[in-house]
Amino acid sequence: MPIWFELIVLLLATYAVGFGIGWAIWGREHKGAD
Amino acid sequence: MQELAQAYWPYFIIALLIGIAVAWWCFVALRRTRVVTENNDVLDEGAAPAARNQALIDAPPASFLAAEPEDVAAPAPPAGSYADDMTRIKGVGPKLVTLLKDLGITSFAQIAAWDDAEIDRIDSKLGRFEGRIRRDDWVTQAQLLASGDTGAYEDRFGKV
């Protein structure tokens, strides 16, 4: 696998993790106890 | 992969922050503005508007303040007559009943007493129903219905 491809995949994964963190903070309507 | 992470860690931090920023934009910035309406009670503005509203509620219906009938020549219903079901006259439907009522005609006896001049007078006020009186011979129908002669009525005009 080319190195740039791997880099892009990792960056996208990191972006998705960041989006997930943002969703957990602001996106959930019912923020009750899990 | 580890080498990549170590070599490009600033970019990963940036990607993480971009993800968080996009999530914020999606879930916070794009949310519709909540309109907060204040439920203004009329009494908040003082008692005057409430008092005015109450006066309007207590006022007698406008029909009591109706002006004089515009056509003074219109015959008043004969003493002792009561409203008949005008739709029994063939050719008279609910709209015509309302129209006739507005003209002060509510009984068969009234129509039965019409002469040609009166027919013309009323006919001119019927609008799109003009010509119906003679076409459907309301006068004869009314005379038979007023007298209660259903046999003669049915012979001439069909089932009551």
Side-chain angles (χ1 to χ4, degrees), chain A residues 8-32:
Chain A
I8 287 171
V9 168
L10 285 172
L11 285 171
L12 285 173
T14 314
Y15 166 86
V17 167
F19 191 90
I21 294 170
W23 173 81
I25 298 172
W26 298 295
R28 293 192 297 172
E29 291 294 332
H30 303 286
K31 296 184 183 172

mmCIF file with all atom_site columns, all heavy atoms in Angstrom, chain A residues 8-32:
data_model
loop_
_atom_site.group_PDB
_atom_site.id
_atom_site.type_symbol
_atom_site.label_atom_id
_atom_site.label_alt_id
_atom_site.label_comp_id
_atom_site.label_asym_id
_atom_site.label_entity_id
_atom_site.label_seq_id
_atom_site.pdbx_PDB_ins_code
_atom_site.Cartn_x
_atom_site.Cartn_y
_atom_site.Cartn_z
_atom_site.occupancy
_atom_site.B_iso_or_equiv
_atom_site.pdbx_formal_charge
_atom_site.auth_seq_id
_atom_site.auth_comp_id
_atom_site.auth_asym_id
_atom_site.auth_atom_id
_atom_site.pdbx_PDB_model_num
ATOM 1   N N   . ILE A 1 8  ? -3.516  9.105  4.184  1.00 0.00 ? 8  ILE A N   1
ATOM 2   C CA  . ILE A 1 8  ? -4.853  9.666  3.998  1.00 0.00 ? 8  ILE A CA  1
ATOM 3   C C   . ILE A 1 8  ? -5.874  8.900  4.815  1.00 0.00 ? 8  ILE A C   1
ATOM 4   O O   . ILE A 1 8  ? -6.759  9.488  5.455  1.00 0.00 ? 8  ILE A O   1
ATOM 5   C CB  . ILE A 1 8  ? -5.226  9.677  2.500  1.00 0.00 ? 8  ILE A CB  1
ATOM 6   C CG1 . ILE A 1 8  ? -4.437  10.763 1.790  1.00 0.00 ? 8  ILE A CG1 1
ATOM 7   C CG2 . ILE A 1 8  ? -6.714  9.904  2.297  1.00 0.00 ? 8  ILE A CG2 1
ATOM 8   C CD1 . ILE A 1 8  ? -4.566  10.728 0.289  1.00 0.00 ? 8  ILE A CD1 1
ATOM 9   N N   . VAL A 1 9  ? -5.758  7.600  4.792  1.00 0.00 ? 9  VAL A N   1
ATOM 10  C CA  . VAL A 1 9  ? -6.703  6.792  5.568  1.00 0.00 ? 9  VAL A CA  1
ATOM 11  C C   . VAL A 1 9  ? -6.606  7.132  7.047  1.00 0.00 ? 9  VAL A C   1
ATOM 12  O O   . VAL A 1 9  ? -7.624  7.293  7.743  1.00 0.00 ? 9  VAL A O   1
ATOM 13  C CB  . VAL A 1 9  ? -6.426  5.280  5.323  1.00 0.00 ? 9  VAL A CB  1
ATOM 14  C CG1 . VAL A 1 9  ? -7.171  4.430  6.328  1.00 0.00 ? 9  VAL A CG1 1
ATOM 15  C CG2 . VAL A 1 9  ? -6.825  4.898  3.899  1.00 0.00 ? 9  VAL A CG2 1
ATOM 16  N N   . LEU A 1 10 ? -5.402  7.250  7.540  1.00 0.00 ? 10 LEU A N   1
ATOM 17  C CA  . LEU A 1 10 ? -5.241  7.587  8.960  1.00 0.00 ? 10 LEU A CA  1
ATOM 18  C C   . LEU A 1 10 ? -5.785  8.981  9.273  1.00 0.00 ? 10 LEU A C   1
ATOM 19  O O   . LEU A 1 10 ? -6.403  9.199  10.324 1.00 0.00 ? 10 LEU A O   1
ATOM 20  C CB  . LEU A 1 10 ? -3.756  7.508  9.339  1.00 0.00 ? 10 LEU A CB  1
ATOM 21  C CG  . LEU A 1 10 ? -3.189  6.102  9.479  1.00 0.00 ? 10 LEU A CG  1
ATOM 22  C CD1 . LEU A 1 10 ? -1.678  6.157  9.671  1.00 0.00 ? 10 LEU A CD1 1
ATOM 23  C CD2 . LEU A 1 10 ? -3.830  5.359  10.648 1.00 0.00 ? 10 LEU A CD2 1
ATOM 24  N N   . LEU A 1 11 ? -5.566  9.905  8.363  1.00 0.00 ? 11 LEU A N   1
ATOM 25  C CA  . LEU A 1 11 ? -6.081  11.250 8.597  1.00 0.00 ? 11 LEU A CA  1
ATOM 26  C C   . LEU A 1 11 ? -7.610  11.256 8.607  1.00 0.00 ? 11 LEU A C   1
ATOM 27  O O   . LEU A 1 11 ? -8.245  11.920 9.432  1.00 0.00 ? 11 LEU A O   1
ATOM 28  C CB  . LEU A 1 11 ? -5.563  12.223 7.519  1.00 0.00 ? 11 LEU A CB  1
ATOM 29  C CG  . LEU A 1 11 ? -4.103  12.651 7.665  1.00 0.00 ? 11 LEU A CG  1
ATOM 30  C CD1 . LEU A 1 11 ? -3.638  13.436 6.439  1.00 0.00 ? 11 LEU A CD1 1
ATOM 31  C CD2 . LEU A 1 11 ? -3.889  13.489 8.919  1.00 0.00 ? 11 LEU A CD2 1
ATOM 32  N N   . LEU A 1 12 ? -8.174  10.515 7.676  1.00 0.00 ? 12 LEU A N   1
ATOM 33  C CA  . LEU A 1 12 ? -9.638  10.433 7.654  1.00 0.00 ? 12 LEU A CA  1
ATOM 34  C C   . LEU A 1 12 ? -10.164 9.786  8.925  1.00 0.00 ? 12 LEU A C   1
ATOM 35  O O   . LEU A 1 12 ? -11.198 10.196 9.479  1.00 0.00 ? 12 LEU A O   1
ATOM 36  C CB  . LEU A 1 12 ? -10.110 9.640  6.429  1.00 0.00 ? 12 LEU A CB  1
ATOM 37  C CG  . LEU A 1 12 ? -10.032 10.385 5.100  1.00 0.00 ? 12 LEU A CG  1
ATOM 38  C CD1 . LEU A 1 12 ? -10.363 9.451  3.946  1.00 0.00 ? 12 LEU A CD1 1
ATOM 39  C CD2 . LEU A 1 12 ? -10.966 11.569 5.096  1.00 0.00 ? 12 LEU A CD2 1
ATOM 40  N N   . ALA A 1 13 ? -9.451  8.771  9.373  1.00 0.00 ? 13 ALA A N   1
ATOM 41  C CA  . ALA A 1 13 ? -9.877  8.112  10.608 1.00 0.00 ? 13 ALA A CA  1
ATOM 42  C C   . ALA A 1 13 ? -9.803  9.079  11.776 1.00 0.00 ? 13 ALA A C   1
ATOM 43  O O   . ALA A 1 13 ? -10.694 9.120  12.636 1.00 0.00 ? 13 ALA A O   1
ATOM 44  C CB  . ALA A 1 13 ? -9.004  6.879  10.858 1.00 0.00 ? 13 ALA A CB  1
ATOM 45  N N   . THR A 1 14 ? -8.749  9.860  11.791 1.00 0.00 ? 14 THR A N   1
ATOM 46  C CA  . THR A 1 14 ? -8.610  10.844 12.868 1.00 0.00 ? 14 THR A CA  1
ATOM 47  C C   . THR A 1 14 ? -9.712  11.890 12.791 1.00 0.00 ? 14 THR A C   1
ATOM 48  O O   . THR A 1 14 ? -10.276 12.301 13.816 1.00 0.00 ? 14 THR A O   1
ATOM 49  C CB  . THR A 1 14 ? -7.239  11.542 12.782 1.00 0.00 ? 14 THR A CB  1
ATOM 50  O OG1 . THR A 1 14 ? -6.227  10.567 12.574 1.00 0.00 ? 14 THR A OG1 1
ATOM 51  C CG2 . THR A 1 14 ? -6.967  12.337 14.036 1.00 0.00 ? 14 THR A CG2 1
ATOM 52  N N   . TYR A 1 15 ? -10.010 12.293 11.567 1.00 0.00 ? 15 TYR A N   1
ATOM 53  C CA  . TYR A 1 15 ? -11.109 13.250 11.365 1.00 0.00 ? 15 TYR A CA  1
ATOM 54  C C   . TYR A 1 15 ? -12.408 12.662 11.889 1.00 0.00 ? 15 TYR A C   1
ATOM 55  O O   . TYR A 1 15 ? -13.198 13.331 12.559 1.00 0.00 ? 15 TYR A O   1
ATOM 56  C CB  . TYR A 1 15 ? -11.195 13.586 9.880  1.00 0.00 ? 15 TYR A CB  1
ATOM 57  C CG  . TYR A 1 15 ? -12.472 14.285 9.492  1.00 0.00 ? 15 TYR A CG  1
ATOM 58  C CD1 . TYR A 1 15 ? -12.582 15.667 9.598  1.00 0.00 ? 15 TYR A CD1 1
ATOM 59  C CD2 . TYR A 1 15 ? -13.573 13.569 9.018  1.00 0.00 ? 15 TYR A CD2 1
ATOM 60  C CE1 . TYR A 1 15 ? -13.746 16.322 9.239  1.00 0.00 ? 15 TYR A CE1 1
ATOM 61  C CE2 . TYR A 1 15 ? -14.746 14.226 8.667  1.00 0.00 ? 15 TYR A CE2 1
ATOM 62  C CZ  . TYR A 1 15 ? -14.822 15.597 8.774  1.00 0.00 ? 15 TYR A CZ  1
ATOM 63  O OH  . TYR A 1 15 ? -15.983 16.231 8.414  1.00 0.00 ? 15 TYR A OH  1
ATOM 64  N N   . ALA A 1 16 ? -12.656 11.383 11.580 1.00 0.00 ? 16 ALA A N   1
ATOM 65  C CA  . ALA A 1 16 ? -13.891 10.729 12.025 1.00 0.00 ? 16 ALA A CA  1
ATOM 66  C C   . ALA A 1 16 ? -13.929 10.651 13.540 1.00 0.00 ? 16 ALA A C   1
ATOM 67  O O   . ALA A 1 16 ? -14.997 10.834 14.161 1.00 0.00 ? 16 ALA A O   1
ATOM 68  C CB  . ALA A 1 16 ? -13.979 9.322  11.422 1.00 0.00 ? 16 ALA A CB  1
ATOM 69  N N   . VAL A 1 17 ? -12.793 10.402 14.131 1.00 0.00 ? 17 VAL A N   1
ATOM 70  C CA  . VAL A 1 17 ? -12.751 10.365 15.597 1.00 0.00 ? 17 VAL A CA  1
ATOM 71  C C   . VAL A 1 17 ? -13.103 11.745 16.157 1.00 0.00 ? 17 VAL A C   1
ATOM 72  O O   . VAL A 1 17 ? -13.881 11.872 17.121 1.00 0.00 ? 17 VAL A O   1
ATOM 73  C CB  . VAL A 1 17 ? -11.355 9.903  16.078 1.00 0.00 ? 17 VAL A CB  1
ATOM 74  C CG1 . VAL A 1 17 ? -11.196 10.157 17.560 1.00 0.00 ? 17 VAL A CG1 1
ATOM 75  C CG2 . VAL A 1 17 ? -11.175 8.421  15.770 1.00 0.00 ? 17 VAL A CG2 1
ATOM 76  N N   . GLY A 1 18 ? -12.559 12.765 15.527 1.00 0.00 ? 18 GLY A N   1
ATOM 77  C CA  . GLY A 1 18 ? -12.864 14.132 15.969 1.00 0.00 ? 18 GLY A CA  1
ATOM 78  C C   . GLY A 1 18 ? -14.338 14.438 15.810 1.00 0.00 ? 18 GLY A C   1
ATOM 79  O O   . GLY A 1 18 ? -14.969 15.026 16.693 1.00 0.00 ? 18 GLY A O   1
ATOM 80  N N   . PHE A 1 19 ? -14.896 14.025 14.694 1.00 0.00 ? 19 PHE A N   1
ATOM 81  C CA  . PHE A 1 19 ? -16.334 14.240 14.474 1.00 0.00 ? 19 PHE A CA  1
ATOM 82  C C   . PHE A 1 19 ? -17.148 13.498 15.517 1.00 0.00 ? 19 PHE A C   1
ATOM 83  O O   . PHE A 1 19 ? -18.158 13.997 16.025 1.00 0.00 ? 19 PHE A O   1
ATOM 84  C CB  . PHE A 1 19 ? -16.711 13.777 13.062 1.00 0.00 ? 19 PHE A CB  1
ATOM 85  C CG  . PHE A 1 19 ? -18.101 14.199 12.650 1.00 0.00 ? 19 PHE A CG  1
ATOM 86  C CD1 . PHE A 1 19 ? -18.319 15.411 12.016 1.00 0.00 ? 19 PHE A CD1 1
ATOM 87  C CD2 . PHE A 1 19 ? -19.202 13.384 12.902 1.00 0.00 ? 19 PHE A CD2 1
ATOM 88  C CE1 . PHE A 1 19 ? -19.589 15.811 11.632 1.00 0.00 ? 19 PHE A CE1 1
ATOM 89  C CE2 . PHE A 1 19 ? -20.474 13.783 12.528 1.00 0.00 ? 19 PHE A CE2 1
ATOM 90  C CZ  . PHE A 1 19 ? -20.677 14.993 11.894 1.00 0.00 ? 19 PHE A CZ  1
ATOM 91  N N   . GLY A 1 20 ? -16.710 12.284 15.839 1.00 0.00 ? 20 GLY A N   1
ATOM 92  C CA  . GLY A 1 20 ? -17.412 11.504 16.857 1.00 0.00 ? 20 GLY A CA  1
ATOM 93  C C   . GLY A 1 20 ? -17.365 12.174 18.213 1.00 0.00 ? 20 GLY A C   1
ATOM 94  O O   . GLY A 1 20 ? -18.353 12.190 18.964 1.00 0.00 ? 20 GLY A O   1
ATOM 95  N N   . ILE A 1 21 ? -16.200 12.745 18.525 1.00 0.00 ? 21 ILE A N   1
ATOM 96  C CA  . ILE A 1 21 ? -16.099 13.483 19.789 1.00 0.00 ? 21 ILE A CA  1
ATOM 97  C C   . ILE A 1 21 ? -17.067 14.668 19.786 1.00 0.00 ? 21 ILE A C   1
ATOM 98  O O   . ILE A 1 21 ? -17.783 14.922 20.766 1.00 0.00 ? 21 ILE A O   1
ATOM 99  C CB  . ILE A 1 21 ? -14.640 13.946 20.018 1.00 0.00 ? 21 ILE A CB  1
ATOM 100 C CG1 . ILE A 1 21 ? -13.721 12.742 20.234 1.00 0.00 ? 21 ILE A CG1 1
ATOM 101 C CG2 . ILE A 1 21 ? -14.555 14.907 21.200 1.00 0.00 ? 21 ILE A CG2 1
ATOM 102 C CD1 . ILE A 1 21 ? -12.242 13.065 20.231 1.00 0.00 ? 21 ILE A CD1 1
ATOM 103 N N   . GLY A 1 22 ? -17.112 15.362 18.675 1.00 0.00 ? 22 GLY A N   1
ATOM 104 C CA  . GLY A 1 22 ? -18.022 16.509 18.573 1.00 0.00 ? 22 GLY A CA  1
ATOM 105 C C   . GLY A 1 22 ? -19.472 16.082 18.688 1.00 0.00 ? 22 GLY A C   1
ATOM 106 O O   . GLY A 1 22 ? -20.285 16.731 19.343 1.00 0.00 ? 22 GLY A O   1
ATOM 107 N N   . TRP A 1 23 ? -19.799 14.991 18.061 1.00 0.00 ? 23 TRP A N   1
ATOM 108 C CA  . TRP A 1 23 ? -21.170 14.482 18.164 1.00 0.00 ? 23 TRP A CA  1
ATOM 109 C C   . TRP A 1 23 ? -21.508 14.132 19.602 1.00 0.00 ? 23 TRP A C   1
ATOM 110 O O   . TRP A 1 23 ? -22.597 14.410 20.085 1.00 0.00 ? 23 TRP A O   1
ATOM 111 C CB  . TRP A 1 23 ? -21.322 13.253 17.258 1.00 0.00 ? 23 TRP A CB  1
ATOM 112 C CG  . TRP A 1 23 ? -22.646 12.573 17.446 1.00 0.00 ? 23 TRP A CG  1
ATOM 113 C CD1 . TRP A 1 23 ? -23.841 12.925 16.909 1.00 0.00 ? 23 TRP A CD1 1
ATOM 114 C CD2 . TRP A 1 23 ? -22.888 11.420 18.249 1.00 0.00 ? 23 TRP A CD2 1
ATOM 115 N NE1 . TRP A 1 23 ? -24.828 12.071 17.318 1.00 0.00 ? 23 TRP A NE1 1
ATOM 116 C CE2 . TRP A 1 23 ? -24.265 11.120 18.149 1.00 0.00 ? 23 TRP A CE2 1
ATOM 117 C CE3 . TRP A 1 23 ? -22.096 10.592 19.048 1.00 0.00 ? 23 TRP A CE3 1
ATOM 118 C CZ2 . TRP A 1 23 ? -24.862 10.050 18.813 1.00 0.00 ? 23 TRP A CZ2 1
ATOM 119 C CZ3 . TRP A 1 23 ? -22.690 9.535  19.702 1.00 0.00 ? 23 TRP A CZ3 1
ATOM 120 C CH2 . TRP A 1 23 ? -24.059 9.277  19.587 1.00 0.00 ? 23 TRP A CH2 1
ATOM 121 N N   . ALA A 1 24 ? -20.560 13.490 20.289 1.00 0.00 ? 24 ALA A N   1
ATOM 122 C CA  . ALA A 1 24 ? -20.810 13.093 21.672 1.00 0.00 ? 24 ALA A CA  1
ATOM 123 C C   . ALA A 1 24 ? -21.050 14.318 22.546 1.00 0.00 ? 24 ALA A C   1
ATOM 124 O O   . ALA A 1 24 ? -21.844 14.282 23.490 1.00 0.00 ? 24 ALA A O   1
ATOM 125 C CB  . ALA A 1 24 ? -19.623 12.270 22.194 1.00 0.00 ? 24 ALA A CB  1
ATOM 126 N N   . ILE A 1 25 ? -20.367 15.399 22.208 1.00 0.00 ? 25 ILE A N   1
ATOM 127 C CA  . ILE A 1 25 ? -20.503 16.600 23.037 1.00 0.00 ? 25 ILE A CA  1
ATOM 128 C C   . ILE A 1 25 ? -21.768 17.373 22.690 1.00 0.00 ? 25 ILE A C   1
ATOM 129 O O   . ILE A 1 25 ? -22.533 17.757 23.586 1.00 0.00 ? 25 ILE A O   1
ATOM 130 C CB  . ILE A 1 25 ? -19.253 17.507 22.865 1.00 0.00 ? 25 ILE A CB  1
ATOM 131 C CG1 . ILE A 1 25 ? -18.000 16.775 23.343 1.00 0.00 ? 25 ILE A CG1 1
ATOM 132 C CG2 . ILE A 1 25 ? -19.446 18.813 23.617 1.00 0.00 ? 25 ILE A CG2 1
ATOM 133 C CD1 . ILE A 1 25 ? -16.711 17.505 23.024 1.00 0.00 ? 25 ILE A CD1 1
ATOM 134 N N   . TRP A 1 26 ? -22.019 17.592 21.387 1.00 0.00 ? 26 TRP A N   1
ATOM 135 C CA  . TRP A 1 26 ? -23.102 18.498 20.994 1.00 0.00 ? 26 TRP A CA  1
ATOM 136 C C   . TRP A 1 26 ? -24.266 17.838 20.282 1.00 0.00 ? 26 TRP A C   1
ATOM 137 O O   . TRP A 1 26 ? -25.323 18.429 20.168 1.00 0.00 ? 26 TRP A O   1
ATOM 138 C CB  . TRP A 1 26 ? -22.553 19.593 20.053 1.00 0.00 ? 26 TRP A CB  1
ATOM 139 C CG  . TRP A 1 26 ? -21.517 20.453 20.669 1.00 0.00 ? 26 TRP A CG  1
ATOM 140 C CD1 . TRP A 1 26 ? -21.678 21.313 21.715 1.00 0.00 ? 26 TRP A CD1 1
ATOM 141 C CD2 . TRP A 1 26 ? -20.153 20.549 20.290 1.00 0.00 ? 26 TRP A CD2 1
ATOM 142 N NE1 . TRP A 1 26 ? -20.493 21.931 22.005 1.00 0.00 ? 26 TRP A NE1 1
ATOM 143 C CE2 . TRP A 1 26 ? -19.547 21.484 21.138 1.00 0.00 ? 26 TRP A CE2 1
ATOM 144 C CE3 . TRP A 1 26 ? -19.359 19.938 19.300 1.00 0.00 ? 26 TRP A CE3 1
ATOM 145 C CZ2 . TRP A 1 26 ? -18.188 21.816 21.039 1.00 0.00 ? 26 TRP A CZ2 1
ATOM 146 C CZ3 . TRP A 1 26 ? -18.032 20.274 19.202 1.00 0.00 ? 26 TRP A CZ3 1
ATOM 147 C CH2 . TRP A 1 26 ? -17.449 21.212 20.070 1.00 0.00 ? 26 TRP A CH2 1
ATOM 148 N N   . GLY A 1 27 ? -24.018 16.626 19.792 1.00 0.00 ? 27 GLY A N   1
ATOM 149 C CA  . GLY A 1 27 ? -25.018 16.077 18.879 1.00 0.00 ? 27 GLY A CA  1
ATOM 150 C C   . GLY A 1 27 ? -26.130 15.316 19.544 1.00 0.00 ? 27 GLY A C   1
ATOM 151 O O   . GLY A 1 27 ? -27.221 15.202 19.005 1.00 0.00 ? 27 GLY A O   1
ATOM 152 N N   . ARG A 1 28 ? -25.870 14.778 20.721 1.00 0.00 ? 28 ARG A N   1
ATOM 153 C CA  . ARG A 1 28 ? -26.857 13.912 21.347 1.00 0.00 ? 28 ARG A CA  1
ATOM 154 C C   . ARG A 1 28 ? -27.948 14.771 21.952 1.00 0.00 ? 28 ARG A C   1
ATOM 155 O O   . ARG A 1 28 ? -27.722 15.711 22.669 1.00 0.00 ? 28 ARG A O   1
ATOM 156 C CB  . ARG A 1 28 ? -26.190 13.040 22.397 1.00 0.00 ? 28 ARG A CB  1
ATOM 157 C CG  . ARG A 1 28 ? -25.232 12.041 21.754 1.00 0.00 ? 28 ARG A CG  1
ATOM 158 C CD  . ARG A 1 28 ? -24.787 10.994 22.730 1.00 0.00 ? 28 ARG A CD  1
ATOM 159 N NE  . ARG A 1 28 ? -24.029 11.592 23.831 1.00 0.00 ? 28 ARG A NE  1
ATOM 160 C CZ  . ARG A 1 28 ? -23.652 10.900 24.905 1.00 0.00 ? 28 ARG A CZ  1
ATOM 161 N NH1 . ARG A 1 28 ? -23.984 9.639  25.008 1.00 0.00 ? 28 ARG A NH1 1
ATOM 162 N NH2 . ARG A 1 28 ? -22.963 11.459 25.864 1.00 0.00 ? 28 ARG A NH2 1
ATOM 163 N N   . GLU A 1 29 ? -29.210 14.353 21.664 1.00 0.00 ? 29 GLU A N   1
ATOM 164 C CA  . GLU A 1 29 ? -30.357 15.110 22.174 1.00 0.00 ? 29 GLU A CA  1
ATOM 165 C C   . GLU A 1 29 ? -30.592 14.795 23.641 1.00 0.00 ? 29 GLU A C   1
ATOM 166 O O   . GLU A 1 29 ? -30.840 15.651 24.457 1.00 0.00 ? 29 GLU A O   1
ATOM 167 C CB  . GLU A 1 29 ? -31.605 14.746 21.371 1.00 0.00 ? 29 GLU A CB  1
ATOM 168 C CG  . GLU A 1 29 ? -31.589 15.244 19.949 1.00 0.00 ? 29 GLU A CG  1
ATOM 169 C CD  . GLU A 1 29 ? -31.623 16.769 19.905 1.00 0.00 ? 29 GLU A CD  1
ATOM 170 O OE1 . GLU A 1 29 ? -32.152 17.389 20.812 1.00 0.00 ? 29 GLU A OE1 1
ATOM 171 O OE2 . GLU A 1 29 ? -31.045 17.306 18.939 1.00 0.00 ? 29 GLU A OE2 1
ATOM 172 N N   . HIS A 1 30 ? -30.521 13.494 23.935 1.00 0.00 ? 30 HIS A N   1
ATOM 173 C CA  . HIS A 1 30 ? -30.789 13.103 25.312 1.00 0.00 ? 30 HIS A CA  1
ATOM 174 C C   . HIS A 1 30 ? -29.491 12.763 25.969 1.00 0.00 ? 30 HIS A C   1
ATOM 175 O O   . HIS A 1 30 ? -28.872 11.763 25.676 1.00 0.00 ? 30 HIS A O   1
ATOM 176 C CB  . HIS A 1 30 ? -31.711 11.872 25.331 1.00 0.00 ? 30 HIS A CB  1
ATOM 177 C CG  . HIS A 1 30 ? -32.974 12.132 24.600 1.00 0.00 ? 30 HIS A CG  1
ATOM 178 N ND1 . HIS A 1 30 ? -33.969 12.914 25.093 1.00 0.00 ? 30 HIS A ND1 1
ATOM 179 C CD2 . HIS A 1 30 ? -33.376 11.742 23.369 1.00 0.00 ? 30 HIS A CD2 1
ATOM 180 C CE1 . HIS A 1 30 ? -34.950 12.956 24.219 1.00 0.00 ? 30 HIS A CE1 1
ATOM 181 N NE2 . HIS A 1 30 ? -34.632 12.260 23.167 1.00 0.00 ? 30 HIS A NE2 1
ATOM 182 N N   . LYS A 1 31 ? -29.066 13.640 26.809 1.00 0.00 ? 31 LYS A N   1
ATOM 183 C CA  . LYS A 1 31 ? -27.730 13.458 27.371 1.00 0.00 ? 31 LYS A CA  1
ATOM 184 C C   . LYS A 1 31 ? -27.837 12.893 28.771 1.00 0.00 ? 31 LYS A C   1
ATOM 185 O O   . LYS A 1 31 ? -27.209 13.365 29.701 1.00 0.00 ? 31 LYS A O   1
ATOM 186 C CB  . LYS A 1 31 ? -27.004 14.803 27.382 1.00 0.00 ? 31 LYS A CB  1
ATOM 187 C CG  . LYS A 1 31 ? -26.794 15.311 25.982 1.00 0.00 ? 31 LYS A CG  1
ATOM 188 C CD  . LYS A 1 31 ? -25.989 16.589 25.947 1.00 0.00 ? 31 LYS A CD  1
ATOM 189 C CE  . LYS A 1 31 ? -25.895 17.065 24.514 1.00 0.00 ? 31 LYS A CE  1
ATOM 190 N NZ  . LYS A 1 31 ? -25.316 18.347 24.363 1.00 0.00 ? 31 LYS A NZ  1
ATOM 191 N N   . GLY A 1 32 ? -28.676 11.892 28.881 1.00 0.00 ? 32 GLY A N   1
ATOM 192 C CA  . GLY A 1 32 ? -28.805 11.264 30.202 1.00 0.00 ? 32 GLY A CA  1
ATOM 193 C C   . GLY A 1 32 ? -27.658 10.307 30.465 1.00 0.00 ? 32 GLY A C   1
ATOM 194 O O   . GLY A 1 32 ? -26.743 10.157 29.655 1.00 0.00 ? 32 GLY A O   1
#
